[in-house]
Structure formats: structure tokens, C-alpha cells
Amino acid sequence: MAGQQLLMPRLFPNFPKTLYDLSLQALIESMNTKIPALDRINRLSELPRNLLIDVYEKMSQVESLKDTLLEELAQLEVFSRLVRYPFARSQLLRIMASLMASNKMLAKRLSENYVSRYDVVTGQDSQEEEKLESSMDTLEDRSVELNTLYTYDAESSDADTTSAEFNDEFSVDIESIIGVPQRRAYPDKLEAFNDSDLEELSAVELQVIDLGLRLGSFLSEAGWMQESITVLACLNVRLKDLPTHKHWLQFRLDCLQRLLYAESAHCNFKEAHKTYVELMGLNKWLNRNVPNQLVAITYSQISAMYFARNEYKNSHLWSGLAMRFLKGIANPRIIIDVLRQAAKACVVKRDFSRANLLICQAVRRAREHFGPKHQKYGDALLDYGFFLLNVDSVFQSVYIYKEALAVRRGIFGNMNFHVAIAHEDLSYAYYVHEYSTGDFSCAQDHVDKAVNIMQHLVPSNHLMLASAKRVKALLLEEIALDKMADGIDEEDLLLQSEELHNFALILSLQVFGEVNVQTAKHYGNLGRLYQTMNRFEEAERMHKKAIKIKSELLGHFDYEVGLSIGHLASLYNYQMKKYRDAEQLYMRSIDISLRLFGNSYSGLEYDYLGLCHVYETLHNFEKYLKYANKLENWQLLRGQNITQNKSSYPAIEVDYSIEEVKTKYFSMCVSKKSAHYSVHAEDTYQN
């Protein structure tokens, strides 16, 4: 009721303020440094949670009260009440963003307080733990919360393997793809126990575990990954230290999958691999009444880790396994996240029909269940923009990315990890969209914001900062090219671009090694830059490196290979005068494009233009006319598609059940019809 009363003036500015709203305003105005006000502030936590969260949000909007609010929320007893209250989630995220924007480091204070109290080595005594359990509002609240500490369904893990929805593509033994030995995380004698033989944990210990899970997830959701990792790593050690109990497997899996998400999102791949190894050590017990949705989200997080490491085959396989365990009764957040990750894995495998099905369902569910201003909807939009950009719907992707950024800024403000990623994604989409016009002002504005935010939030050698700088390097190169075409010497811009590209390459080599798709992309980007800088031998060497690595990892007919071949063909054609070599490379690039994308693929323009130049230079006018005609037909086809707003993968408006989604997903074959990533940069774009 309180939330509805607050909402009316927001929706209707001229609507008279309610008595509740006026009372809130009076309370906030009465808060000052006088003794009566301090006493009133100290007693705020006695309010019911639906009132307390409204008071705290009002306080977060008053600069002079933010220090007081920080001290209030840094108390675990206070924060635990609110983080367990689902209706306060969005407000709590906004409060966190407001405090952090004012350099009130609530995330750090909360993580430090949790570790100092509950670390198994340095933690405080049990009296402090009992404070947490006694912080419930009422006996009624306590009963409700204890019953909802663990919200997974009660089904045992039982993947769907019926022939109707499970094909050979995902028929793999987990042991063949995990890449690490299956370690025994618990003694063999445990296998002789039934879960019913194991003891229950105390209510106090359940509260400690529940707070760790909720706080860790809240911090990562709010964009404070390192603090999330700190909390969840502490909880993981505590869980391993506990005697075997009834929920040991569920709690361990849940903690580890949340930890893996935070570590992968923060590009902390060494620690993420250790967490992955721990998860694989638990994998053999997944038939011990583990809820399906917990298995599904765990496998989805493993897919996300491989995706972040550019190991797309394993990412695709794990996302398929996650889909097998997904059920319609699962938590909506889990359903949406599993669908999103499976869609992203399909995109990088050029499996766009499946990707379209999955991401459209994720976006619809996020909007209908959470609303258009919720973080989960913003997350789904960001992934939908990724899909659209990669299927050549560039204008639509810009529109979707702008909406996703607006959602994230509305929740997190400006100085936030998630907002920086959205700025970078939008910048790259603008870069592709504006390539033909040469007006990169919007792209430059957003990438500058992304770099600025990341510089404030992560170390100078962080991969996320390198990613934003890579986009900035691409923009600087194009801006320099345009100015050089106007007779302006912009060597400084090219040198800045080279420095940024080398920065990204060095980090990629340190983190991923030489034989990695991301490293190959950086070589390709340097190749294009050196071509612009008239350093042709270096450019040739970079392009050949990119082709070799991509061919080894992705196969000879992958889009990424065709992209690098096209760039090398351009170098031979326009700069190095190796026309016969250029001709052969253009033919290979065209062959790959037609195999994957069909006659309307936008990248064909550059290959057809290149061949026209080759044959004109060689005075082979018969072939010149042949490819000039192909270029003209291509232009007509592209023009028709743009005029009629045709898309190879229109949005799927039907709201399928999860069972229907799974049936369609597993019955689909990988479509040969596909679309491109970007014809401009040596880059498969991923967020």
C-alpha cells in the first residue's frame, strides 16, 4: 500500500501528495544533528520493512543524510531485513547507487562486516550470529523467512533426455568437456547416507548462510563484483568447514555458482577456474535430490565462464546442458538467465534461429514478470541488442542498446560497472551504424564514458578497461582516416589507437594466451591499423596471425576467418599490389559469406568492390563487369530489405511455455542461414 501511495505523485506530477508522502517528507526534514533527531534515527530500524525502505530511499536523496544512512545500512542486522524483502529490491539498488555515487562505500562496508563476523578463522563469537536471527520484525515474519530461506523447487535433478527434445548435438558426457579431474569433495562414506539421515543446521547457521548468499548476489547485481566475491568466498570456506548436514550439496552448489558468476563477470579467470574445479568435484552427487533449477543455473554459469574466455564450443555445450535441466516451475530469474546465456552461446556459434527463439522469450518474460524498469529487463535487452547487432539489424540494435542503457542508468546511476558495459555496447553499435556516414560523435561520447567509469572502478590492467579502450582505438582510427581524407595529418590519433590496441593485446596474451579468439581479434585490429599507417609488412604479419589462430580454433569456414581473409585481401589489393593473391583471398571470403549468410550479406559489398578494383587494374574487363553486376544486384537487394524493414530473424511474438521452448530448441538444426558480426572491425562483438 505504501509503495502504491508513493507511486501516484511520480506518475502524475500534479496529483496531490498523499498523507503518507507528506508524513515521509516531514520525517526526513526533521532529521538533523539535534539529540531528539538522533534518537529518532536510531529507532528507524524498528519500523516495518515496507516503511523502512521508503524512509531510507528518501534519506538517500538528501546529501546531508547520506553518512547517517551509510551507518544504518552497514549494520548487517538492518541490511539483512531489507535484502530478504523482495518488494524492496529495486529501491535498495537505487539506494546503494546513490550512496556509492557520493563515495559512501556501502558495498565495501557490508562485505567487510560479513567477513569480520562470519569468517571461520577471524570471525566473532556466536553472540554476534544470534543478533542476525533476532533481527526479524515479528514472529510472523520470522516464520515466513525461515520457510523461504531456500527457495529452489524440491525436484531431484533429472535432465530431460527424451528423443523428442534431445539430439546428438548435446549428447556428450560431462566428463569429456569439463577439462579437469573429478575430485572427491566429500568422503566416500557419504554415499552410503540418505539425505534423511543427515542432521539439520541450526536456525542461526541457516540465517548466516542465507545472508551470505543474498548479500553476495545483491552486490554482484548492484555491480560491485569484488565485494561480492569477498562475501561468497568467505561463505564458501565456511560451508566447507561445516559438518555434513542435510542441505550441504545445495548450499555448496548455490554458493559456488554465484561465486563463479561474479568471478567471470569481473574477468578473474584464475579464481573462476578454481571455483569451476570445486563445482566439478560436486558434480558426481547431482543425483542426490538436487533441484533442477539449481543444476540449470550452475551449468549456465559455467557456460558464461567459457563465453567470457572466448571458448565458444564449451560455452555452447554447457548452455545446452543447462537447458536440459530447465523446468517451467523454476524461479523466473533463473529461467530468464538460462535463456539469455543459451542465446548468447548460440550467437557466437552462428546458431541464430535458436538464439532468436531464446532471447525473444527471455525479453518477454523479463518485461512481463519484472516490468520495463527492472534490472533483469535491462539485462535481457542488452543481450537482445547483442543478437540484433550480430544478425545485421544494426539500427534496431542501437535502439535496443539505448533502452538498455536507460534502464541501467535509472537503477544504478552513472558511476557503475553495469552502466559502463552498457555504454561500451552502445558505443560499438553506434560505430557500426555510423560507419558509412563517418559521424562517430555518439559512439565517441559513449566510449569515453565507458572508459572513464572503468578507470574509476577497476585496476589499470583490467580486461574490462582494455575492452573499452579497444572500442576507443577503433573509433580513433576511423576519425583519423576521415581527417586524413580531408588533407589533415592525424598521426597522433593513430599512435593513440596503436597504444590502446597494444594495451588490449598484451592483456589478452597474459590472460588467454596466444591461441585464443580474443587474441586473434587484437592481432587483426592491429593489422588494420598498420595498414592505415602504411606499415604494410607488419599489417600482413598481423593478419596472417589472426587467420592462423582463428582457423585452428574455429575452422576454415567460420565467419571470423572470412573477416580476416577479407582484410588481408584488402591489404594486398590496395596497398601491396599483390593482385592475384588478393583475388584468391576475395574468392575465399565471398565463399564463406555465401555459405553462411546468403546473397544479401552486407560484407559482400567490400569483397565485390575489391574484386572490381583488382580486375580493373589487371584489365580483365569481362570479370570486372561480372562483379560490377553482382555489386549492383547486391545493392538492389539490400535496398529492398532496408526499405521494407526486412529482417532475417524477426522478433518472435509468441509466448511459449518453457517445455515448448525446449522442444523447439532441441529439435532445431544449426541454421546455415546466418548473419555477420561487423564488417568494419576485426571483432566479433560480445558484451
Side-chain angles (χ1 to χ4, degrees), residues 450-503:
V451 170
N452 179 57
I453 295 169
M454 285 298 183
Q455 284 176 334
H456 280 84
L457 298 182
V458 300
S460 60
N461 63 343
H462 199 279
L463 272 175
M464 296 305 294
L465 178 57
S467 179
K469 287 185 174 182
R470 169 192 57 83
V471 177
K472 185 170 184 176
L474 294 171
L475 287 167
L476 290 175
E477 180 185 349
E478 296 304 329
I479 292 168
L481 275 171
D482 289 340
K483 291 188 176 183
M484 289 164 62
D486 294 333
I488 303 172
D489 184 9
E490 286 294 344
E491 185 179 357
D492 286 345
L493 286 180
L494 295 176
L495 291 175
Q496 287 180 51
S497 180
E498 181 183 15
E499 181 181 354
L500 293 171
H501 277 314
N502 275 316
F503 173 75

Side-chain angles (χ1 to χ4, degrees), residues 510-525:
Q510 290 174 352
V511 175
F512 302 121
E514 174 86 4
V515 184
N516 184 274
V517 175
Q518 191 62 42
T519 303
K521 292 174 189 175
H522 292 312
Y523 282 136
N525 284 333

Side-chain angles (χ1 to χ4, degrees), residues 18-247:
T18 64
L19 179 59
Y20 177 78
D21 203 46
L22 290 169
S23 300
L24 269 180
Q25 184 176 332
L27 176 61
I28 299 303
E29 290 174 353
S30 71
M31 291 181 183
N32 51 48
T33 57
K34 296 179 181 179
I35 298 300
L38 292 175
D39 181 62
R40 189 180 300 116
I41 291 170
N42 290 334
R43 297 189 63 186
L44 281 178
S45 60
E46 298 174 15
L47 289 171
R49 291 177 299 182
N50 60 327
L51 303 183
L52 182 61
I53 190 64
D54 289 342
V55 172
Y56 283 163
E57 185 171 23
K58 286 284 188 181
M59 291 176 67
S60 72
Q61 298 164 6
V62 180
E63 196 66 34
S64 61
L65 294 177
K66 287 186 177 181
D67 283 321
T68 301
L69 181 58
L70 173 64
E71 296 306 318
E72 282 280 302
L73 286 173
Q75 300 175 64
L76 292 180
E77 292 76 24
V78 173
F79 194 84
S80 66
R81 291 181 60 208
L82 298 177
V83 80
R84 290 188 176 108
Y85 184 47
F87 303 106
R89 192 73 166 193
S90 294
Q91 288 171 279
L92 201 54
L93 286 168
R94 289 195 294 269
I95 292 168
M96 169 76 81
S98 178
L99 289 175
M100 298 296 282
S102 297
N103 207 31
K104 313 298 181 187
M105 308 307 290
L106 178 58
K108 184 178 180 182
R109 289 281 299 276
L110 285 168
S111 64
E112 288 176 347
N113 288 348
Y114 187 88
V115 171
S116 66
R117 184 179 295 187
Y118 301 123
D119 183 79
V120 294
V121 178
T122 63
Q124 300 172 17
D125 58 35
S126 60
Q127 290 181 352
E128 293 294 329
E129 296 179 9
E130 290 171 1
K131 288 182 183 179
L132 190 64
E133 202 250 344
S134 65
S135 66
M136 299 291 189
D137 287 6
T138 64
L139 288 174
E140 183 178 0
D141 283 335
R142 189 176 305 179
S143 175
V144 171
E145 292 194 359
L146 285 174
N147 288 331
T148 58
L149 286 179
Y150 207 74
T151 57
Y152 293 116
D153 62 81
E155 291 181 286
S156 61
S157 57
D158 180 23
D160 294 324
T161 57
T162 58
S163 58
E165 60 176 67
F166 186 61
N167 59 27
D168 290 339
E169 185 180 354
F170 296 101
S171 298
V172 292
D173 185 351
I174 290 176
E175 291 186 6
S176 69
I177 63 173
I178 61 176
V180 294
Q182 298 253 19
R183 297 185 179 180
R184 293 187 175 273
Y186 287 87
D188 289 342
K189 64 180 181 180
L190 186 61
E191 297 182 13
F193 284 92
N194 293 318
D195 286 343
S196 58
D197 297 329
L198 301 175
E199 295 183 359
E200 291 278 6
L201 288 174
S202 68
V204 172
E205 189 62 49
L206 283 171
Q207 291 288 336
V208 173
I209 295 170
D210 183 67
L211 175 59
L213 292 172
R214 292 181 189 270
L215 176 57
S217 284
F218 176 84
L219 290 171
S220 62
E221 185 179 339
W224 303 100
M225 298 299 173
Q226 188 53 59
E227 290 81 0
S228 172
I229 292 168
T230 299
V231 170
L232 292 168
C234 171
L235 176 59
N236 185 42
V237 172
R238 186 182 184 94
L239 288 170
K240 287 191 287 187
D241 194 61
L242 287 174
T244 304
H245 55 86
K246 196 168 185 178
H247 300 293

